[in-house]
Amino acid sequence: AGTVNVDANGTITVVDGETGVSALAGQVELDATGINSNIAVNDSIVTTTGNINVLADNDVTFDATSDITSTSGNVVVTADTDAAADGGGSDQGALTMADGAVINAGSGTVDMDANEDVSVSIVTTSNTVDVTSAVGAIVDNTAAEAANITGSTLDLDAVTGIGSGATLDGAGDLDIDGTLLSAVNTTSGNINVNEVNSIAVDDITNTGRPVIIDAGAAITDGNGADTINILAGSAELRAITGIGSGLAGDAGDIDSTVTGDLAAQTDSGNINLHNVGGLTIGALGTIAGVEILDTADNNNGEDITVRAASPLTINSPVVNNAGGDIVLAAEGNTAADDMTINANITASGGN
């Protein structure tokens, strides 16, 4: 099968224009030790069933023509393996993929870790993808709007942002093609993701700051009944075939703790949202209010349900063009748990 293990007390460069690194069916491991030691991947690293490990005590970079390819082996890329400061005494360990670089693990898992920013070009597998930045952000480093990260379960953890920008359709959103998404950002910045198809949301946490999710099909509950899906300061959600499923109280609703404004829009399918705490339906970057568009004028009777377990304030329109009902509820039982209506509520054909 053959293996390739390269350990260096210094920087390792996979030289561009040569034959790259190949282990056939064996493992490939590049390990650059020393606080200022980098790995520069400027050509191909290839194996079939073997694992690929790229481990540097400082930065890992990929140029625009580089790739890591495995048919079924797992891929691990780590910047700042030693978790130490660099020679200048500052934080170290960025993982940077130039636009055009590719990591393809086939059916293997992908694990990408850095202390500083993780800048992503194209990462793909049919399996799980984990991306972690310990003190920085997860950044879309491509000009195109194709998926940066493709996999079954996507687990994204950062400190200063996952994607960027405050609106839908922005160039800085992180483009994904996954089945189940967890995204946790702890200190500053936004979560802004654009899903190619449908996405089930598990744990989306950006406490006190914006969450922006755009889906090419549906946004669904990925963690079971009455477990929080979205924890955020504001949430702007857009889908084509529904946000949550079912009606009030159904297990398929999107459960949230959104402390500020919510704006949500789908072309078809239901909108079913349940917020723990007070909620305001408002205007955010692209969407104002909550709406089922029904651009095909099918009038299939889809419903809008927005429930808040505390006061509910409606500052932007709630519109259902699909012939279904609108249910808005402030479900708290104290004197302060009121519904305040400052905008139109329109159900075309429904109640």
Side-chain angles (χ1 to χ4, degrees):
T3 62
V4 175
N5 289 312
V6 178
D7 298 308
N9 187 18
T11 291
I12 298 172
T13 301
V14 181
V15 178
D16 191 15
E18 301 297 331
T19 57
V21 178
S22 176
L24 298 178
Q27 173 179 283
V28 173
E29 180 165 304
L30 308 181
D31 190 352
T33 59
I35 59 174
N36 296 314
S37 297
N38 306 317
I39 295 180
V41 181
N42 298 331
D43 208 303
S44 297
I45 300 175
V46 179
T47 184
T48 52
T49 58
N51 297 331
I52 298 175
N53 301 316
V54 177
L55 314 171
D57 282 351
N58 195 17
D59 299 336
V60 177
T61 60
F62 294 77
D63 79 0
T65 63
S66 64
D67 65 276
I68 288 179
T69 303
S70 176
T71 303
S72 59
N74 301 328
V75 174
V76 175
V77 181
T78 304
D80 191 29
T81 305
D82 64 353
D86 63 20
S90 62
D91 286 331
Q92 67 166 4
L95 198 169
T96 305
M97 300 177 69
D99 190 354
V102 175
I103 296 174
N104 186 342
S107 60
T109 62
V110 177
D111 185 3
M112 304 171 68
D113 300 282
N115 187 48
E116 298 174 289
D117 288 353
V118 178
S119 300
V120 183
S121 174
I122 299 171
V123 178
T124 184
T125 178
S126 60
N127 208 319
T128 298
V129 179
D130 290 286
V131 182
T132 301
S133 171
V135 301
I138 301 173
V139 180
D140 176 356
N141 210 30
T142 63
E145 286 295 294
N148 301 109
I149 303 173
T150 299
S152 55
T153 298
L154 310 183
D155 188 356
L156 312 177
D157 294 278
V159 174
T160 61
I162 298 173
S164 63
T167 63
L168 296 157
D169 302 317
D173 58 13
L174 188 71
D175 299 293
I176 63 172
D177 186 356
T179 302
L180 180 67
L181 173 65
S182 174
V184 176
N185 184 59
T186 58
T187 301
S188 64
N190 297 343
I191 294 178
N192 190 349
V193 294
N194 177 27
E195 162 63 39
V196 174
N197 296 301
S198 291
I199 191 68
V201 289
D202 181 4
D203 176 13
I204 312 298
T205 297
N206 198 28
T207 305
R209 297 174 300 277
V211 165
I212 302 160
I213 302 175
D214 196 2
I219 300 171
T220 61
D221 182 350
N223 63 15
D226 297 325
T227 301
I228 297 298
N229 303 106
I230 300 172
L231 174 60
S234 65
E236 186 171 16
L237 311 176
R238 183 171 67 182
I240 302 299
T241 58
I243 300 171
S245 62
L247 303 174
D250 288 350
D253 59 6
I254 299 296
D255 296 290
S256 62
T257 301
V258 175
T259 55
D261 285 351
L262 165 75
Q265 182 187 87
T266 186
D267 188 58
S268 63
N270 292 340
I271 295 176
N272 188 3
L273 301 165
H274 175 226
N275 197 70
V276 177
L279 180 66
T280 300
I281 295 175
L284 293 171
T286 304
I287 301 169
V290 175
E291 184 174 15
I292 299 176
L293 295 172
D294 192 23
T295 55
D297 199 24
N298 289 320
N299 290 303
N300 287 329
E302 292 102 339
D303 299 313
I304 293 175
T305 304
V306 179
R307 299 180 297 139
S310 198
L312 177 61
T313 303
I314 302 162
N315 286 338
S316 293
V318 179
V319 180
N320 188 347
N321 296 302
D325 298 335
I326 297 175
V327 175
L328 304 173
E331 296 184 331
N333 51 22
T334 73
D337 291 326
D338 296 331
M339 181 184 298
T340 303
I341 301 174
N342 299 317
N344 291 334
I345 301 171
T346 306
S348 299
N351 298 315

